[in-house]
Each structure stands twice: as structure tokens, then as C-alpha cells.
Amino acid sequence: MPPSPSSRLAYIDWMRGLACVLMFQTHCYDAWLGGDARKSTFFMWSQLGGTLPAPLFLFLAGVSFALVVDKLRLRNVPPGQIARTTIRRGAEIFALGLLFRLQEYALAWGWAPWTDLFRVDILNTIGVSMMLMGIVCWIVLSFAQERLVHRVRLVLVFSAVLVGLAISLFTPLLWTTWRPRWLPWPLESYIDGVHNLGQPQSWIFPVFPWTAFAFVGLAVGLFLVSDWAKKNSAAAVALGALGGLLIYLARWLDARPEQLYAVYDFWHTSPNFFLMRVGLLLLILAAAHLWCRWGAGQWGFSPLIQLGHTSLLVYWVHIEFVYGKFSILTKRAQDIRTASFGLLAIFLSMVLLSVLRTKWKGRGTNPAR
């Protein structure tokens, strides 16, 4: 029996909530742990877990984007109007990213450098990703709806995959030998995350490679709304199997003695690491689908699904209570036990904030919205 529409959307919200929890723990331990705790294996694994939230948010932005595009396409909305609708939404998210940076700078007035106003953060990148996906969909739909009317979705899937792979493959070059040094650093930072520091930074979220995850999400989302995937609950399991295959392929490629790039940085720019993380995303997708379809994912109240409904809000708010002026614990001064209690406080307060938000909007906790 195929899953209901609510369960199909619930596992997407569950994944978004998981990204929030992983983000909370990464930020809390990074902000609060001090002394020997920062040298511990525990802290290392915490920060390794921090490599997943950004890909998850971008991947799920692509999946949600696919749902919108497919719905508009089936309503026979012209490609130009689809592009305007999706690009405008991307521009709104990008503007929110700029507003967030302005707020953080204002709250940290007196000690934050003015260059923080131009930091490329995850909201900026999600907005840029949506605008880029809108442009690609407009080009593909303008061509395919006239010439390949019965294969439009398939063409969109392959186009999204090709763009994502191209972004990943060009990343090592644009971070090293092809760096656009001729651009002002606020613009170059959107290409390689250089900020104002002269070298690309791993804590910035530039177009290369991060937008590639959104394009993969776009391809996966379009697959999930296909007629076959809707009728077969095994579709998500098949994506999980593909994820395992990609992880094996990434490890095999990384072990090869041949190198395509003059500078190889596995953890930051390598296409092999990109493939590995895509594989992990697909495995998480399959597990979330099974958990929400046949497991306890929707038994009563789900904190993860609730957080997934308001992920933008809890991202925005928790930053100030972890890294900002109103941090609930003294930064870089806590042991693991105290920081863990702080993490629990952040988690519970963000769930409460999320519930209040949905109730205030009068929408309950309906996962179908």
C-alpha cells in the first residue's frame, strides 16, 4: 500500500528536524566546551556530526522545491511563471539571510567586525540555490515541454543531477588554481568562501560546493513525485540502496592513486566527499521514510517533525542563545556534562517555541502543510 500524502511529507519534516538537532549539538558544544573538553574524542565526533546539517537543509530545500515545481507544472503553469515564483521565493530567503547577518551585527555592536555583514551563511546559500534551480528549471521546461512532453520530469531529474555533479567537480579548481581573485572579496566569497581572509574558509557556505546538494535534492524530489514512486513504497528503499552504492563508490575513488586535481582536499572540496555525503543523505532519507511509514515516527507528538515545521525560526533564534550576547552558558568554559545540560535546555526551548509558533499561526501540527 502506498504511503499517504501526510506520511510522505512527514518524513521530509522529520529529516529537517533531525538537521535541527544535529545543528543544535554542533553549535552548543562548539560554543560552550572549553579546556581539555575541546581536545576530547567526544568533541571530535560532535563536530563530525556537524558536517551533516548544512547538506541536509540544502538537500531538503531541493526536495521541497521539486514538489512546488511539479505541482505548478501539472497545473500547466507556463515555465516563465514557474521561474518567477520560485526565483522570487529564493530571493526572499536570500534577503532573510542578509537580514539575519544585520541582526547579528547589531546585537554584537562594539566588538563584531563590519565584515561579518558580508559573511556567506547557510540562509544566503539556500536562497542562491533556489534562484539557480529556478533558472535551470525555466530553461529545461522551456525546451522540454514542447519537444519532450512525456519526459519532462525525467529531463528535469537528469538536468539537476548533471548540474549538481558539475558544481562538485569544479569546486576544487575554483578553490585553488581557478580562484576568481579579480572579484571583490564579498563577491568571491560566494564562489569559494574566501571571506576577507585571503584563503577559502571551511566555515563559509559558498555556491561551490554547497548548492550541489540542493540540485541533488531537486532530482530526488522529482523522483519521489513520479507515478512509480507514489505507488511503490520501495522507492525510498531503492534510494537508500543507491546511497550505499555511492558511499562505496566514493571510498573506492578516494583510494585510487590517480588524482584529477593539483590540490586535493578530501574534507572540504573533494567530489568524493560530496558523493559520500550524498550517499549518507539518501540513507537517512530511506531510514526516515521507514521510520515515519512503519515505525514510531508519527506515534503521537514527534519533536523532530515539529522542529521541521519551523526550522527557519529555530535556526534564527537558537544562534543568539548559543553564540550570541544572550548565550545561556559562558562560552569556551564548560565541561561536557554542563554543555550537555545546556544542549537539552536549547532543544526543549526550541521545541516549545516551535509549538507556540504553529499554534499562534492556527495551523496545529499538520505535517501536510
Side-chain angles (χ1 to χ4, degrees):
M1 183 177 67
S4 66
S6 62
S7 67
R8 285 191 289 111
L9 293 178
Y11 73 85
I12 294 174
D13 278 327
W14 192 93
M15 288 179 67
R16 194 175 284 114
L18 174 65
C20 289
V21 173
L22 289 171
M23 174 180 64
F24 294 161
Q25 69 87 24
T26 303
H27 289 170
C28 287
Y29 290 127
D30 177 58
W32 296 331
L33 288 183
D36 292 338
R38 298 192 72 83
K39 304 173 186 178
S40 65
T41 302
F42 178 89
F43 181 69
M44 179 195 72
W45 281 106
S46 167
Q47 298 311 292
L48 186 61
T51 64
L52 278 175
L56 271 168
F57 282 129
L58 285 157
F59 175 78
L60 293 170
V63 173
S64 299
F65 191 95
L67 301 180
V68 172
V69 169
D70 198 68
K71 181 186 294 185
L72 294 175
R73 185 182 66 82
L74 293 177
R75 291 178 180 174
N76 294 317
V77 176
Q81 186 174 337
I82 292 176
R84 286 192 295 272
T85 300
T86 54
I87 292 173
R88 181 168 57 247
R89 179 54 180 163
E92 291 172 356
I93 298 295
F94 182 78
L96 285 174
L98 298 179
L99 180 61
F100 177 73
R101 293 259 52 89
L102 180 61
Q103 171 197 283
E104 292 299 290
Y105 179 71
L107 290 174
W109 184 266
W111 61 268
W114 65 269
T115 53
D116 277 4
L117 290 169
F118 298 97
R119 185 194 306 174
V120 182
D121 216 333
I122 187 64
L123 283 181
N124 306 72
T125 308
I126 290 175
V128 171
S129 299
M130 293 175 69
M131 289 187 280
L132 291 175
M133 288 189 293
I135 293 170
V136 170
C137 288
W138 172 55
I139 294 172
V140 172
L141 290 174
S142 298
F143 170 81
Q145 288 199 162
E146 294 181 2
R147 299 168 179 82
L148 300 167
V149 64
H150 299 298
R151 296 287 185 270
V152 174
R153 190 182 287 123
L154 185 62
V155 175
L156 278 172
V157 168
F158 278 106
S159 299
V161 170
L162 288 175
V163 172
L165 285 175
I167 291 170
S168 177
L169 289 170
F170 278 109
T171 295
L173 297 172
L174 289 169
W175 277 49
T176 56
T177 54
W178 290 5
R179 267 189 59 195
R181 293 178 173 86
W182 47 272
L183 287 172
W185 70 259
L187 296 180
E188 183 188 348
S189 197
Y190 278 91
I191 304 298
D192 55 24
V194 71
H195 200 52
N196 67 327
L197 301 173
Q199 295 293 330
Q201 303 297 309
S202 60
W203 47 275
I204 302 293
F205 298 92
V207 168
F208 297 86
W210 293 102
T211 57
F213 293 106
F215 277 97
V216 171
L218 173 60
V220 170
L222 289 167
F223 168 74
L224 291 173
V225 296
S226 67
D227 294 336
W228 183 84
K230 287 179 178 179
K231 295 176 182 177
N232 293 274
S233 57
V237 177
L239 287 174
L242 175 61
L245 180 62
L246 288 177
I247 291 174
Y248 175 82
L249 176 63
R251 294 183 63 183
W252 182 83
L253 289 172
D254 190 61
R256 298 303 92 197
E258 302 84 6
Q259 294 293 340
L260 294 176
Y261 305 100
V263 179
Y264 184 71
D265 184 349
F266 177 81
W267 291 105
H268 300 122
T269 63
S270 167
N272 296 330
F273 188 40
F274 169 73
L275 285 179
M276 186 171 290
R277 286 193 285 186
V278 169
L280 285 173
L281 292 175
L282 295 179
L283 286 174
I284 293 171
L285 175 72
H289 177 270
L290 294 175
W291 183 246
C292 291
R293 179 68 177 87
W294 295 305
Q298 294 189 88
W299 292 358
F301 175 75
S302 171
L304 292 189
I305 292 176
Q306 179 61 53
L307 287 172
H309 290 159
T310 59
S311 56
L312 175 59
L313 175 65
V314 298
Y315 166 80
W316 195 296
V317 173
H318 95 280
I319 288 289
E320 194 55 39
F321 291 100
V322 175
Y323 282 116
K325 181 186 296 186
F326 303 107
S327 175
I328 65 173
L329 293 175
T330 303
K331 292 189 281 289
R332 299 293 181 101
Q334 310 302 323
D335 57 19
I336 294 174
R337 181 175 177 271
T338 305
S340 296
F341 279 118
L343 169 60
L344 179 61
I346 288 292
F347 171 75
L348 293 176
S349 61
M350 291 303 102
V351 171
L352 177 60
L353 176 64
S354 178
V355 170
L356 292 175
R357 169 64 173 172
T358 53
K359 287 188 175 181
W360 180 72
K361 295 293 289 185
R363 298 178 182 176
T365 55
N366 179 12
R369 70 174 176 83

